[in-house]
Each structure stands twice: as structure tokens, then as C-alpha cells.
Amino acid sequence: MSAKSTWIISYLKLSNMENYANCCHIAMDKRRNVLMWILYFMSEFCLSSNQVLRIGGIFETRENEPVSVEELAFKFAVTSINRNRTLMPNTTLTYDIQRVNLFDSFEASRRVCDQLALGVVAVFGPSHSSSVSAVQSICNALEVPHIQTRWKHPSVDNKDTFYINLYPEYSAISRAILDIVTFMKWKSVTIVYEDSTGLMRMQELIKAPSKNNLKVRIRQLPSGSSDARPLLKEMKKGKECFVIFDCSYKMAAELLKQLMSMGMMTEYYHFFFTTLDLFALDLEPYRFTGVNMTAFRMLNLDSPVVSSVMERWSMERLQALPKADTILQNRIMTTEAALMYDAVFMVAVASQRATQMTVSSLQCHRHKPWRYGPRFMNLFREARWDGLTGRIVLNKTDGLRRDFDLELISLKEDKNAKIGVWNSFTGLNLTEARKDNTNDSESLFNRTLIVTTILENPYVMYKKSDKVLYGNDRFEGYCLDLLKELSNILGFTYEVKLVSDGKYGAQNDKGEWNGMVRELIDNIADLAVAPLTITYVREKVIDFSKPFMTLGISILYRKPNGTNPGVFSFLNPLTPDIWMYVLLACLGVSCVLFAIARFSPYEWYNPHPCNPASDVVQNNFTLLNSFWFGVGALMRQGTEVMPKALSTRIVGGIWWFFTLIIISSYTANLAAFLTVERMDSPIASADDLAKQTKIEYGAVRDGSTMTFFKKSKISTYEKMWAFMSSRKNTALMKNNREGITRVLTTDYALLMESTSIEYISQRNCNLTQVGGLIDSKGYGVGTPIGSPYRDKVTIAILQLQEEGKLHMMKEKWWRGNGCPEEDKKEANALGVENIGGIFIVLAAGLVLSVFVAIGEFIYKARKNSDIEECCDGGAEHFLQVPPRHQEAGERAGPRRTGQPPLPPQTHPAEGDRHIDKTATRHIPQLITDELL
């Protein structure tokens, strides 16, 4: 409109001069007037074909920032549109910029009214919430689009119908953060926010504990000060390793410096920044610290168009403000500037589609809206544009940007790696998340790890050397070989340090840990390579690799003194009860055989087969002969008396079968009892220990074995823990070496890992393992929770296991000289101490037989003398036996006797008193034989 006014004024001046100079030439004046009107209409046509479109910008100024980044991006976008006529070939875009003080909403209202009076199609800014609300209310009343590029919480009543915001919608950002936390599998997270708007952006995460098993802790950065070190110190002390910082990129730059000074830039921390400009900062000082740093980014730097715009922006910033924004890397365009750039281009796209749209001057006090405002607003919401921040699509109802992509960027040593994309509708897409992890060992190259361990044979020992050794060369053992193999596979270097308190790691009643576990919790050490048992309570505070050795708890006890076989050890194959039962069986069988032989008629026979008419029969199985038969069968020798009847043969056969089994069993066990040294141990299992109190027992203090008994709910182990806890000063040892010494010197049993018992018993033949395994567990490499080394160490251990190197290392360090008792030996020759008792029995038997023979001789001599005396006084009576006695005897039938019959006697005639001296000499012998 200013161009048209200029043409009108020129026309009036020209016509007045012509009329004044030559009033006479009326015809020429008419022709000139016609020419001027033609020129006027031509100018009007040219102005309508090359329109001028004005936009307004209200920007807040700060003391340290005379010109805001949004204002620079606003001008940069207008210049780029006018320079490139492809988007608006017939329209020139101009702007009106008003600067207001921060938090001055009244001034912002006045300035926006000035811009509306000039005639603008859209108003950009300001950024502060109080000023935004004032400007927004005026734009709603006059129906002029109000465009924002910073985060703003939407109004509750949704009456901002002329409000447009290109910044991602707040609830979508909240869902994106929750998806990241879920993907990272964080069990606890700390939210550190700068202002109250941060809590709104984190509302989905704050509500997550009620849905997920997540522990959330919320902290606020100090207001009015950029020094957050006291807060960071509390976080470090509280082991808060997973942190989300909601702050501006300028505050993020300060936080990174303070985190570095606090020693929190390590691989055990993971920081997520909600600012979209984190990777616009200079992150080179933190690239090789190993810290896990992640953030979102809206700028698609992979696009050539975006890269070209960013390059032009950097060049113009460098020329205009050579000393500004030193914290930004190469003066890269921030997300706020990129959003402002895209917003200006969205106005250009919408205005290009608007035809016959005129911009009129609007007065705030008249409340007369812009009649083309609703139409232009609809065109703006329907516009589509591939800008610097991706595809721009606005919601048609509220004007918010709900469909957008966020690139997930992670800090790496070589570059800022894109590990995924989050979309507001499809969520997190991590199809390319693990490209950098194809070679797990790359992240450990040239990295020095602190390894904590403990002196324990054969895992870690001081190396014996004539020279003074330093560093890792001081130690040797199984764990040192394992650490060397892991270093070769993963490519890291290490520094071995002994744990300060000399303990493995246990939790006290207050929940505090000690030993190697505490050093891992405090991030003093990166790895714990030692015989560290994987337990439930330890797994809750540290991470473990897959076990490199499987074992269990057993009992270490000294070998009992061996008892050599005694001289009567030939009786040991059978218990005293069996010997008694065999003796009773022999007596019982003899009595049964005697009774059956007397009862059976087939056991009586004629001793004189040549005299079938003899009335005398004989039975060989007297009581003594029956016992002699049983003893002979038991001794596998037999007797001259054998059964004849079927019944007695059945008894004899059954007895022979019985003696066969008894003698065979006795013979089978006799060799072992004569040659093997008996080892009688007072305990054979954990149950035996629990049932007694004479032998004291215990474990290493604050070790996994002690924790097992302390936490066990099995009655036997609870009883054992009660015994140990009641004698803590004597039952619990400081370390294994002290416990071994105690076992050797006193009556003490040490509960420890079976692998350690195996190693000790190979080198000390006075010690042995008693019983089996009480439990089953494994040794693993310990790492702090969330350590990136755990999975890599696990893969390396599995590789060593498949290659058999773990077994070879164990054979190397466990194999000892062996104990003589366990060596394979030939059978020892039997000595007097083994079978001397047999000679004693033989000698005793011989002596007994001599005494029995003497006794028999004396007994017989006395009997003979008594008979001779009787015969001298009554020989006549015996010689005058009436014949009727003989006849009576003949009539009585056959006479049964167990002795051979007497020889027939010839009696003299009755009345013959003469006694033959020869016959008289045999009378005592005959009488004695008859009695027996």
C-alpha cells in the first residue's frame, strides 16, 4: 500500500505543474492525464502481482543475550524464503520485530497491539509463559494465528483456537521418556528437574511405579544458582546411577562439567537429558570417559537439505557473532532455532495456498477480528512441510504437533551414534540399536580396569621370587590366569588390588556391606575376580557373570588315626552277634540231629553183620557224635559219622548249605579286614555335626558359607547356625588359612567350599573331606550393577569353557603330589599282627588238649582203681550169676546199645567155686566198658 500511495502523489504533483505552466495546452494535458492514469493502473497491477506479506515477532531480551536465537532464526528464515523464490514466487515476506523485557506481560500486550495495527498475518513469540498467555488472549480475540516454538502447557479449557505450537506435544514427550526407561530396564531412576514444567513432562514416568516395578526419586536443581555439586554429591552417596536431567542445554553444559569434577563420568552411570540440544554441545571432553549418555534429537542431520541449511546458519552466525555461544559445537543450530525456522516456512506454505487474502489493520480496543483469520488458520493447520525438524503435521483441532519423530542418540567414542527412533504413534524402534556392539571387545580396548581380589590358595597367591616384584607381577594363581585370558579376549588392561578389609562381602544387620562387594558397590573396583560365590543377597547389590567354577559346601576335617588289624582280626568279618548265632545254630542242629537219629529206625544197625541173629543194635549219633558232626561240617572237614536215614540226611544237607553260605561270606570279607587299615571318623555328615557339641565347627566370617547357614530355613542348618553364632569368637574364622590351622591343631571342623577342600587335601594328607555337598553354587566375576562389562565377561568365560581352558587351568593349580594312602598299591603281605590270633588259637587248642588228656588219664586211672577194689570184694558174686538171668536176657530180645557188645562169657558150672585168674584179670575192664 505504500507503493500505491507514492504513485498517486507523483501523479498529483505532475498534473499541477503542467496546469500551472501551460494552461493553454488543454489538449496536451488531457493526453497526459490519460497517460498517467494508464501508468497508475499498470502500477496497481504490478503491486497486486508481487504482494508484500508481513509477520510479527515478539522476542524477549536478556542481559547476557542482546539478541535471542529465535530472533536470529526468524530473520534467517525470512531471508531464505525471499532469496529462494520457489516457495513464494509472487510474494515478498517482511517482518516486524518487537523486543520486550523478560516476564513483562504488559509490555508484550502493548507491542502485539502495535504489530496488529500495522497488519500482520501471524504473531511469533514470546517464549515466557506469562507473556505468552497475554499475547495469546489478544490473538484469540482478533482471530490472528499465534505461533509458538517452545514447550508450553496447554490450557485446560482448550479455548486457544488460534494457537499453534511446533514443539512436540508434552504428553508424547512424557511417553517417550517412559519408553526409554522401560527399554533400559532400569529398576530405579532419579529425576532431576530445573523448574516446575519438568514435572509435567515427567508425569508418565512419575506414575510408572504404580504400574511397573520402578523406584522413582525426584530432586530439583538449586534455583538461582548453577552450582549443583552438593546435589550431585548426595546422588553419588546414594548410589543413584540412573539419572534423568530435565533442564536447558545451557544448564546441561554446566552439569556435565560438574559431573566430571565429581568423578561421576564413569561407565557405571547412565544420564538421560530431556533437552533436544544435548548433542549441539561440545561433548569431546566426555567422549572417552565411558559414561552412558543418551538424549533425543529432532534435527535430522542425515538429510542433505538439513545439512546445507545448518552449514549456512553456522557461517552467518560466525560472521555476525564471532564470540557468541561458545558452549555450542561449531555454532550449530539449536532445536528452538530450527523450530522457528520451520514455523516461518509453514506460514509461507499456508499463505501460498491462500488466494485473495488481504491483511487489514486491527485495533485492540475495537475488538474487530480479522475476517480472513479463521480461513488462514485452517490453511495453516492443513499445511505439510518437510522441515529441519522432520515432517511437520499439525492436529486440525488444537494446532499441536502430535505426529513427530525423535532420534535416540548415544554418546560413543568415535561419534554420536543414532541407536533408534521414537515415533509418537509407533513408539520406540531399535532395529539398528546394536550395530556398534557387533564386536563386544572394541569397547574395552585400551581401557584399564581396577580388579579387586583376595588372597586365597590357589586362586590368588603371592609369587615366590628372589627379586622384588611390583604391580600385577606380585601375584599368581587360578584367578590371575583367568584374568589374563579375559584380557587377551576382550583387549583390556587391568590393575590388581587386594581388598582392603580382607573379606569377601557380607551384609550386617544394618544392611551395610563389606569386603569386595562393598568396593564394587562404591565403584572403587570395576571387577572382582576371586572365589566370590554367587548368592541371592549379593545379586541384589552387584552383578555377576556366568559362573566359571561350580562347587558346593562340604566339611574339612582331619583324618582319623588309623587302627591296624588286631591279632584277632580274623573274627572281624562277622559281628559278635553272628558268631553267637552260628554257635547257637550249631548246638541246635546237633540236638535236632541227635533226637531224629534216635527216633528214626534207619539209624540203628547191627554191629555184627556176620551174626544176623544178634540181638544187639547200635546208633552212631550220640550227643557227642552229633555235635562233632556239626562242627566238622562247619569247619568244612567232615566226620567219620554220616547220616543214613532220609530225615537225618535232610538235616545234614540243610546244615551244609547254611555252613556253605556262612563260610563263603566270611572268606570274602576276611581279606579286607586283614589288609585294610580301618579309618573310623567320629563324623560322617552335617547331620552328625549338628547332633553333637564335642567337636566344634564353623566357617569363614562374612563369607558366603556363613551367609548360607544364616539364611537357611532347614532345621539341621538352623541348628548348626545357632551353634556357630553362639560361639562367634571361636567358631567363625577370619580366613581359610586360620581355619585350616585350627582343624590341624584342635578338634575342629571347617565348613568351606568343596574346591578349596580338594586343593587343601591334595597338599595336606592329614586333612580330608567328610560327607558330600551340602548345597550347589558357583563362583562368578563380580561387577557393579549396570556395568557394561558383565555381558562381555560372560561371553568370554563361555568361550574359555568351550575351549576347555577353564579345566586346564584347574588341573594346573589343583593337581598336587598326592597322598600315599590314596596311591594305587599292591596287596600287602600278612604279618603276625594280622593273623597272629590264629596261632594263639592253635596254641590254646594244643594246650587245652594236653590238659584234657591229662584229665582223662587221671579220671580213667581213678575209675580203674575203684573198679578193682570193688571187684576184689565181690568177684564171687559176679561169677555166680544164675543161668536164669541169662535166659531172661535171651528172652528179652535184641539189646540196643550205643557201645560195641561185650565178648561172650563162659560161666562155670554151678557149685564150682574155682576162679580162673586169667578171666579175673579182664573183669574191671569189662565193667568199665559196660558203664560207658
Side-chain angles (χ1 to χ4, degrees):
M1 296 186 61
S2 60
K4 185 166 62 176
S5 300
T6 303
W7 279 100
I8 293 173
I9 294 172
S10 300
Y11 163 74
L12 293 175
K13 288 182 178 181
L14 181 62
S15 60
N16 290 331
M17 291 174 64
E18 289 292 332
N19 289 329
Y20 180 79
N22 193 2
C23 296
C24 298
H25 301 287
I26 299 174
M28 291 180 64
D29 292 338
K30 290 181 179 179
R31 288 193 295 268
R32 288 177 179 175
N33 289 334
V34 172
L35 179 63
M36 292 304 298
W37 281 109
I38 292 173
L39 293 174
Y40 171 76
F41 284 115
M42 289 179 65
S43 65
E44 286 291 327
F45 176 78
C46 293
L47 288 173
S48 63
S49 62
N50 190 8
Q51 238 177 333
V52 176
L53 198 67
R54 180 183 290 111
I55 56 178
I58 301 177
F59 303 103
E60 297 167 328
T61 58
R62 295 176 175 85
E63 296 180 358
N64 58 347
E65 188 180 22
V67 181
S68 64
V69 174
E70 292 92 338
E71 181 180 345
L72 294 175
F74 182 78
K75 295 178 180 179
F76 179 71
V78 172
T79 304
S80 299
I81 293 173
N82 292 331
R83 185 179 300 171
N84 186 3
R85 287 291 180 176
T86 57
L87 185 60
M88 300 178 65
N90 301 322
T91 305
T92 301
L93 190 65
T94 62
Y95 57 80
D96 181 80
I97 294 177
Q98 299 290 334
R99 297 185 180 93
V100 297
N101 294 326
L102 193 65
F103 308 122
D104 194 346
S105 59
F106 177 77
E107 184 182 1
S109 301
R110 187 169 58 85
R111 295 296 177 90
V112 72
C113 289
D114 294 342
Q115 288 184 342
L116 293 174
L118 293 175
V120 293
V121 296
V123 177
F124 292 78
S127 59
H128 194 265
S129 59
S130 60
S131 302
V132 168
S133 300
V135 173
Q136 181 62 45
S137 62
I138 295 175
C139 290
N140 287 337
L142 299 180
E143 297 183 357
V144 176
H146 179 212
I147 302 172
Q148 274 290 326
T149 57
R150 284 195 179 187
W151 185 88
K152 174 183 177 293
H153 192 274
S155 60
V156 180
D157 52 6
N158 290 326
K159 291 183 179 180
D160 296 335
T161 55
F162 287 85
Y163 175 75
I164 292 174
N165 196 339
L166 266 65
Y167 197 89
E169 199 263 336
Y170 78 102
S171 62
I173 293 289
S174 182
R175 287 187 286 109
I177 296 172
L178 179 60
D179 289 346
I180 293 298
V181 172
T182 304
F183 166 72
M184 298 291 184
K185 297 180 180 180
W186 290 352
K187 301 298 178 62
S188 63
V189 61
T190 300
I191 298 175
V192 181
Y193 65 96
E194 188 174 10
D195 52 36
S196 58
T197 59
L199 296 179
M200 299 179 184
R201 284 188 288 268
M202 296 292 169
Q203 60 177 341
E204 291 292 332
L205 185 60
I206 294 173
K207 294 186 295 184
S210 60
K211 303 176 182 179
N212 306 324
N213 187 16
L214 180 65
K215 181 181 179 182
V216 178
R217 182 174 295 179
I218 302 176
R219 296 179 180 272
Q220 184 177 11
L221 291 171
S223 59
S225 174
S226 60
D227 187 9
R229 282 174 291 187
L231 176 64
L232 298 179
K233 184 177 181 181
E234 292 181 9
M235 294 169 55
K236 184 177 181 181
K237 185 178 180 180
K239 305 297 184 299
E240 301 172 24
C241 300
F242 305 102
V243 187
I244 297 178
F245 289 104
D246 184 88
C247 57
S248 63
Y249 73 90
K250 295 181 179 179
M251 187 63 194
E254 293 295 326
L255 283 174
L256 292 176
K257 296 177 182 178
Q258 296 173 21
L259 288 169
M260 190 74 165
S261 63
M262 294 293 296
M264 299 175 69
M265 282 290 186
T266 64
E267 57 271 23
Y268 306 114
Y269 288 90
H270 197 143
F271 303 128
F272 183 87
F273 289 85
T274 60
T275 175
L276 301 177
D277 296 317
L278 177 68
F279 292 97
L281 303 176
D282 185 12
L283 302 179
E284 288 301 320
Y286 323 110
R287 194 172 296 279
F288 296 95
T289 59
V291 67
N292 301 288
M293 193 182 304
T294 315
F296 285 130
R297 184 177 67 186
M298 289 196 71
L299 296 176
N300 184 12
L301 299 182
D302 297 332
S303 173
V305 177
V306 176
S307 300
S308 176
V309 174
M310 299 280 285
E311 187 174 347
R312 286 194 295 110
W313 166 266
S314 300
M315 293 297 297
E316 292 187 10
R317 289 293 312 278
L318 183 62
Q319 294 174 1
L321 301 171
K323 295 183 179 180
D325 285 341
T326 56
I327 62 174
L328 293 177
Q329 184 180 9
N330 299 327
R331 292 173 175 79
I332 192 172
M333 179 181 281
T334 63
T335 304
E336 294 175 356
L339 289 172
M340 180 62 71
Y341 182 91
D342 289 344
V344 174
F345 268 81
M346 285 290 289
V347 172
V349 172
S351 63
Q352 185 66 19
R353 297 179 57 191
T355 58
Q356 299 178 356
M357 184 183 68
T358 59
V359 182
S360 59
S361 175
L362 302 176
Q363 303 297 326
C364 293
H365 59 278
R366 291 183 179 180
H367 300 289
K368 183 179 180 181
W370 180 33
R371 64 173 181 169
Y372 291 101
R375 178 186 173 191
F376 186 72
M377 188 67 186
N378 291 332
L379 292 175
F380 199 105
R381 291 175 176 174
E382 293 174 356
R384 302 288 186 271
W385 177 251
D386 291 327
L388 301 181
T389 58
R391 182 72 174 172
I392 301 176
V393 179
L394 299 177
N395 189 282
K396 295 182 180 180
T397 58
D398 54 12
L400 299 180
R401 189 175 182 180
R402 297 183 182 275
D403 185 7
F404 58 91
D405 292 336
L406 295 176
E407 296 181 353
L408 185 61
I409 310 298
S410 179
L411 180 65
K412 302 294 181 182
E413 293 183 358
D414 52 348
K415 61 179 181 178
N416 300 330
K418 176 182 175 181
I419 62 175
V421 177
W422 188 90
N423 182 266
S424 55
F425 291 107
T426 61
L428 190 61
N429 183 7
L430 292 165
T431 55
E432 302 179 357
R434 299 299 179 188
K435 282 186 177 180
D436 293 335
N437 294 335
T438 54
N439 188 356
D440 290 332
S441 62
E442 290 182 0
S443 61
L444 288 176
F445 273 121
N446 300 324
R447 209 177 275 279
T448 302
L449 305 182
I450 304 299
V451 180
T452 180
T453 187
I454 190 171
L455 289 176
E456 185 66 49
N457 297 339
Y459 302 97
V460 180
M461 303 175 290
Y462 280 118
K463 186 183 295 184
K464 297 179 180 179
S465 176
D466 297 335
K467 301 179 180 179
V468 179
L469 302 177
Y470 301 95
N472 300 337
D473 296 334
R474 296 173 296 162
F475 308 104
E476 65 176 356
Y478 178 88
C479 289
L480 272 297
D481 288 355
L482 174 62
L483 194 56
K484 183 178 179 180
E485 293 292 339
L486 295 177
S487 174
N488 294 334
I489 295 175
L490 300 177
F492 64 88
T493 58
Y494 55 91
E495 181 181 353
V496 179
K497 292 185 177 180
L498 296 178
V499 61
S500 58
D501 58 1
K503 296 181 179 180
Y504 288 89
Q507 192 177 22
N508 59 18
D509 297 334
K510 298 181 180 179
E512 299 174 349
W513 287 85
N514 56 17
M516 291 183 288
V517 176
R518 181 58 182 268
E519 292 191 355
L520 291 177
I521 294 175
D522 294 340
N523 295 328
I524 298 175
D526 301 310
L527 300 176
V529 183
L532 188 62
T533 307
I534 303 173
T535 62
Y536 168 73
V537 290
R538 287 175 179 171
E539 189 72 40
K540 293 196 297 184
V541 294
I542 63 174
D543 286 338
F544 280 99
S545 68
K546 295 295 183 182
F548 59 83
M549 186 177 294
T550 304
L551 62 149
I553 297 176
S554 190
I555 303 171
L556 178 68
Y557 193 61
R558 69 175 185 273
K559 287 183 179 180
N561 296 326
T563 57
N564 293 322
V567 292
F568 291 98
S569 59
F570 63 88
L571 298 175
N572 293 336
L574 300 179
T575 63
D577 295 340
I578 296 298
W579 283 117
M580 184 182 67
Y581 296 152
V582 169
L583 180 59
L584 293 177
C586 182
L587 293 175
V589 168
S590 299
C591 294
V592 172
L593 183 62
F594 171 75
I596 293 177
R598 289 290 175 178
F599 183 76
S600 176
Y602 298 101
E603 285 296 335
W604 297 94
Y605 68 97
N606 184 4
H608 300 287
C610 296
N611 185 14
S614 175
D615 59 350
V616 178
V617 291
Q618 186 176 350
N619 193 322
N620 291 332
F621 284 98
T622 63
L623 189 59
L624 293 178
N625 284 347
S626 298
F627 182 74
W628 179 247
F629 174 82
V631 173
L634 186 61
M635 298 300 177
R636 314 302 296 163
Q637 296 300 320
T639 61
E640 71 280 3
V641 181
M642 299 299 291
K644 298 178 181 179
L646 179 61
S647 58
T648 54
R649 288 182 177 179
I650 291 174
V651 175
I654 293 298
W655 176 244
W656 290 340
F657 176 76
F658 174 81
T659 57
L660 174 65
I661 300 302
I662 291 295
I663 297 303
S664 299
S665 302
Y666 173 81
T667 305
N669 291 337
L670 181 61
F673 279 88
L674 291 178
T675 58
V676 176
E677 184 178 357
R678 302 291 302 277
M679 305 293 288
D680 295 328
S681 177
I683 56 174
S685 63
D687 292 332
D688 294 341
L689 277 179
K691 293 176 183 177
Q692 56 82 45
T693 57
K694 181 180 178 182
I695 301 175
E696 194 173 16
Y697 54 88
V700 176
R701 189 186 303 272
D702 296 333
S704 61
T705 302
M706 187 200 78
T707 305
F708 169 79
F709 285 97
K710 185 178 181 180
K711 301 293 184 180
S712 179
K713 300 301 180 182
I714 301 175
S715 59
T716 301
Y717 304 149
E718 286 181 338
K719 186 177 180 181
M720 295 176 68
W721 171 244
F723 176 86
M724 288 186 281
S725 59
S726 64
R727 307 184 183 185
K728 286 186 177 181
N729 296 331
T730 58
L732 299 179
M733 300 291 104
K734 183 179 180 181
N735 50 48
N736 284 339
R737 292 187 298 276
E738 181 180 342
I740 294 170
T741 305
R742 179 83 181 277
V743 172
L744 290 172
T745 55
T746 62
D747 197 11
Y748 179 81
L750 180 63
L751 295 158
M752 62 188 305
E753 283 79 6
S754 58
T755 51
S756 299
I757 294 177
E758 180 183 353
Y759 173 80
I760 295 167
S761 59
Q762 283 285 330
R763 285 155 179 79
N764 194 326
C765 297
N766 295 324
L767 299 175
T768 185
Q769 176 177 330
V770 176
L773 300 182
I774 296 176
D775 70 337
S776 180
K777 53 190 174 182
Y779 288 153
V781 177
T783 62
I785 285 185
S787 172
Y789 308 136
R790 184 191 65 174
D791 295 338
K792 300 174 179 59
V793 171
T794 293
I795 294 174
I797 288 176
L798 293 177
Q799 178 180 342
L800 294 175
Q801 185 177 3
E802 292 179 358
E803 294 175 355
K805 291 186 178 180
L806 293 179
H807 177 72
M808 288 188 291
M809 286 190 292
K810 184 178 180 182
E811 287 293 320
K812 171 185 175 182
W813 292 103
W814 262 256
R815 186 175 59 249
N817 297 326
C819 296
E821 292 82 0
E822 298 176 359
D823 294 339
K824 187 176 180 180
K825 300 182 295 184
E826 297 180 356
N828 294 328
L830 299 179
V832 177
E833 67 277 3
N834 301 108
I835 58 174
I838 301 176
F839 293 96
I840 295 176
V841 173
L842 176 60
L846 294 177
V847 172
L848 180 61
S849 64
V850 171
F851 283 103
V852 171
I854 295 174
E856 289 178 344
F857 178 79
I858 296 173
Y859 175 77
K860 198 69 172 181
R862 288 184 178 181
K863 288 293 183 180
N864 290 339
S865 62
D866 293 340
I867 292 173
E868 288 180 356
E869 291 177 357
C870 292
C871 290
D872 290 340
E876 183 178 356
H877 172 74
F878 286 100
L879 294 175
Q880 296 177 356
V881 177
R884 61 178 179 271
H885 292 171
Q886 182 178 1
E887 295 175 358
E890 291 176 357
R891 289 194 301 269
R895 179 171 57 88
R896 296 185 178 184
T897 177
Q899 298 293 334
L902 294 173
Q905 303 291 334
T906 304
H907 299 280
E910 187 178 354
D912 191 354
R913 305 286 184 179
H914 177 73
I915 299 176
D916 190 359
K917 292 182 179 182
T918 303
T920 305
R921 187 170 56 248
H922 294 284
I923 288 176
Q925 180 66 34
L926 294 176
I927 296 174
T928 303
D929 293 340
E930 184 66 24
L931 292 175
L932 293 175

